[in-house]
Amino acid sequence: MKQALTVVKIGGNVVDDPTAMENFLHAFAHLPGPKLLVHGGGKIATRTAEQLGIATQMVEGRRITSEEMVKVIAMVYGGLVNKQLVAGLQALGCQALGLSGVDGNLLPASKRPVGAIDYGWVGDLHADAVNTPLLQLLLTGGITPVVAPMTHDGQGHLLNVNADTIAATLASSLSNGFEVTLVYCFEKPGVLRDADNPDTVIPILQPASFQALKTEGIIHSGMIPKLDNAFESLQKGVKKVVICPWEGLKNWNPAHTPGTLITL
Amino acid sequence: MKQALTVVKIGGNVVDDPTAMENFLHAFAHLPGPKLLVHGGGKIATRTAEQLGIATQMVEGRRITSEEMVKVIAMVYGGLVNKQLVAGLQALGCQALGLSGVDGNLLPASKRPVGAIDYGWVGDLHADAVNTPLLQLLLTGGITPVVAPMTHDGQGHLLNVNADTIAATLASSLSNGFEVTLVYCFEKPGVLRDADNPDTVIPILQPASFQALKTEGIIHSGMIPKLDNAFESLQKGVKKVVICPWEGLKNWNPAHTPGTLITL
């Protein structure tokens, strides 16, 4: 039987709030068994770019990663946020180690081809080329990798990568060696039937119920790609995907997960 | 017989010069056998702090690491410079992985006690507590650690640490498992008899000749603590210390090192 592994992704709402961050780190440090954290960067990158006089480039409503902006991402995500999270976990006795996709060529990628939009220095991951032996070496050595959302193109250039995508890609790649639960820490209590009512959490989603809820129009807009990605991870070998608030990690019981459980 | 390991330290003069950096990375990537790089940060940290409106605090001519400055160090040294070096090495086929003293609790340290001067968030390393098993795990896995000059206090706070000190501490700690050569890449061709004449490199220094040159006043001022540290590393088990320019790494021959060779 494979060993259980928990892959947790936290977003900017946790990173930007010192109290939430501290409480999250407590909950994460106490998760049983091997685990891995993928973090976003929050608003610090945008704020730092503004302070450095770097304009945010937008094309058709999409943010473009300029040459200067990818340096800010390396500074803020790869440096400050990553090291603060690792130091915070270390202080709680969790043997954390910060990584990015660059380190050990963890996440090989290519610069996104220029189509209708030139996204700039954004990476498309080579999902089949993830350096899982490196993660296995660390995890079996009792180390908790903390992964910043950035990588490189193999030719010396840094690339910006979405943290959700990194979490899904790492979870899928590691499912050959581990029984992986992928937890997206979300700002809401789970996937909601009524986006404005936190009491309407859908406790479990499977392919049939997901299709039905989409047809009924109950699950719509931004939740659809998020859930499509969750089901794709399951098809690639991830055992369970959980969408819950970071508070859901407290007193974590893998048999009774909070929020919305997504399975095949 | 122990395996040979080369520990190289580069300073800001290489980091700040793109051409020097590129050529250095080529030379470093081609060094034979297991190796480890410790880097300084150069002027980018000072420049970034200025751009962010963070004043450089000086007390009695010494730079103080403020709460805001240690964040800039995490951004610039731990993030941008570290990831650019790792991406550059990866592009040359060197399986580099970025670390700081925080990661895996590599370099346990304490905030320097406040004496005549309060240096702020500067770390004094616990040299006996270096996580050498982590480095051995990586080195035996064919990985080249690239270490940024910063660590933490074990209580969640980041600390600034001198890169020369980190290089010496890592070299000494690793000498239990490896035959270590510690190379300080320097802006001059080696230790000079006449600081203004690059043709006066002292090819070899041993305790007796060092004493004699100090007595004669040929080695003086800033070189004395640097060389004291080199001899201390040797006493702690490092096999050789080499002080040479980064160009000295090209066509490296461990039996005929460039610059100044320091041995017991």
Side-chain angles (χ1 to χ4, degrees):
Chain A
M1 210 181 92
K2 293 180 193 170
Q3 195 180 9
L5 170 72
T6 314
V7 173
V8 176
K9 186 259 166 177
I10 51 161
N13 60 321
V14 181
V15 170
D16 284 331
D17 176 345
T19 307
M21 173 86 105
E22 193 186 328
N23 289 321
F24 163 77
L25 290 177
H26 267 276
F28 180 80
H30 290 96
L31 284 182
K35 55 199 179 237
L36 183 152
L37 178 62
V38 179
H39 64 86
K43 294 174 193 142
I44 319 176
T46 310
R47 206 162 57 229
T48 304
E50 278 170 13
Q51 288 173 331
L52 294 172
I54 298 165
T56 297
Q57 295 181 13
M58 304 286 285
V59 173
E60 298 181 16
R62 305 294 292 263
R63 183 191 299 266
I64 307 303
T65 304
S66 67
E67 180 74 38
E68 288 307 305
M69 194 61 197
V70 81
K71 289 184 185 172
V72 173
I73 284 163
M75 289 200 283
V76 175
Y77 298 173
L80 184 61
V81 173
N82 191 264
K83 300 313 165 203
Q84 282 184 328
L85 286 168
V86 173
L89 288 171
Q90 285 286 346
L92 297 165
C94 174
Q95 179 56 318
L97 183 146
L99 290 173
S100 72
V102 188
D103 300 297
N105 195 23
L106 177 62
L107 295 167
S110 302
K111 183 174 182 290
R112 184 166 299 168
V114 177
I117 298 178
D118 178 359
Y119 288 94
W121 295 101
V122 169
D124 287 330
L125 299 182
H126 303 173
D128 296 338
V130 173
N131 187 354
T132 48
L134 170 62
L135 293 176
Q136 279 165 331
L137 183 78
L138 296 173
L139 289 164
T140 56
I143 292 166
T144 297
V146 176
V147 183
M150 57 175 293
T151 194
H152 69 139
D153 64 358
Q155 293 161 62
H157 211 292
L158 303 176
L159 298 170
N160 184 14
V161 184
N162 177 277
D164 282 2
T165 307
I166 289 181
T169 303
L170 289 175
S172 302
S173 303
L174 285 163
S175 58
N176 278 329
F178 294 91
E179 188 178 285
V180 179
T181 299
L182 170 56
V183 184
Y184 285 107
C185 291
F186 195 46
E187 63 275 21
K188 293 190 175 177
V191 181
L192 302 176
R193 291 184 75 90
D194 171 358
D196 298 324
N197 184 349
D199 294 332
T200 61
V201 174
I202 300 167
I204 187 161
L205 272 174
Q206 286 175 299
S209 52
F210 177 48
Q211 281 309 326
L213 289 164
K214 272 200 292 191
T215 309
E216 292 174 60
I218 289 170
I219 289 175
H220 56 91
S221 55
M223 272 318 288
I224 293 179
K226 210 174 182 82
L227 290 169
D228 280 342
N229 289 339
F231 282 107
E232 197 186 325
S233 301
L234 296 172
Q235 272 141 18
K236 288 182 178 167
V238 172
K239 188 77 180 171
K240 301 189 249 186
V241 179
V242 177
I243 296 185
C244 67
W246 69 260
E247 291 91 339
L249 291 183
K250 290 192 260 188
N251 308 312
W252 181 258
N253 178 349
H256 298 281
T257 52
T260 300
L261 172 65
I262 303 157
T263 60
L264 290 183
Chain B
M1 211 180 93
K2 292 179 192 172
Q3 195 180 8
L5 169 73
T6 314
V7 173
V8 176
K9 187 258 165 176
I10 50 161
N13 59 322
V14 181
V15 169
D16 284 332
D17 177 344
T19 308
M21 174 85 104
E22 194 185 329
N23 289 323
F24 163 77
L25 290 176
H26 266 277
F28 180 81
H30 291 96
L31 285 183
K35 54 198 180 240
L36 183 152
L37 178 62
V38 178
H39 63 87
K43 294 176 191 138
I44 319 175
T46 309
R47 206 161 57 229
T48 305
E50 278 170 13
Q51 288 173 330
L52 293 172
I54 297 165
T56 296
Q57 296 180 12
M58 303 288 284
V59 173
E60 296 179 19
R62 305 295 291 265
R63 183 191 298 268
I64 307 304
T65 305
S66 67
E67 180 75 37
E68 289 306 307
M69 195 61 199
V70 80
K71 290 184 186 174
V72 173
I73 284 164
M75 289 200 284
V76 175
Y77 300 171
L80 184 61
V81 173
N82 190 265
K83 300 314 165 201
Q84 283 183 328
L85 286 167
V86 172
L89 287 171
Q90 285 285 346
L92 296 165
C94 173
Q95 178 55 318
L97 183 146
L99 290 174
S100 72
V102 190
D103 300 298
N105 197 22
L106 177 61
L107 294 168
S110 303
K111 183 174 183 291
R112 183 165 299 167
V114 177
I117 297 178
D118 179 358
Y119 288 94
W121 296 100
V122 170
D124 287 328
L125 300 181
H126 302 172
D128 296 337
V130 173
N131 188 354
T132 47
L134 171 62
L135 293 176
Q136 279 165 332
L137 183 78
L138 296 172
L139 289 163
T140 56
I143 292 167
T144 297
V146 176
V147 183
M150 57 175 292
T151 193
H152 68 139
D153 63 359
Q155 292 161 63
H157 211 292
L158 303 176
L159 297 170
N160 184 14
V161 183
N162 177 276
D164 281 1
T165 307
I166 289 181
T169 304
L170 289 175
S172 301
S173 302
L174 286 162
S175 59
N176 277 328
F178 295 90
E179 190 178 285
V180 179
T181 300
L182 170 57
V183 185
Y184 285 108
C185 291
F186 195 46
E187 63 274 22
K188 295 194 172 170
V191 180
L192 302 177
R193 289 185 75 92
D194 171 358
D196 298 325
N197 184 350
D199 294 330
T200 62
V201 173
I202 301 167
I204 186 161
L205 271 174
Q206 286 174 300
S209 51
F210 177 47
Q211 281 308 327
L213 289 164
K214 273 200 294 190
T215 308
E216 292 175 60
I218 289 170
I219 289 175
H220 56 90
S221 55
M223 272 318 289
I224 293 179
K226 214 176 180 81
L227 290 168
D228 281 341
N229 288 339
F231 281 106
E232 196 186 324
S233 301
L234 296 172
Q235 272 142 16
K236 289 183 176 166
V238 172
K239 188 77 181 171
K240 300 189 249 186
V241 179
V242 177
I243 296 184
C244 68
W246 68 261
E247 291 92 339
L249 291 183
K250 290 192 260 188
N251 308 314
W252 182 259
N253 178 349
H256 297 282
T257 53
T260 301
L261 172 65
I262 302 156
T263 59
L264 288 184

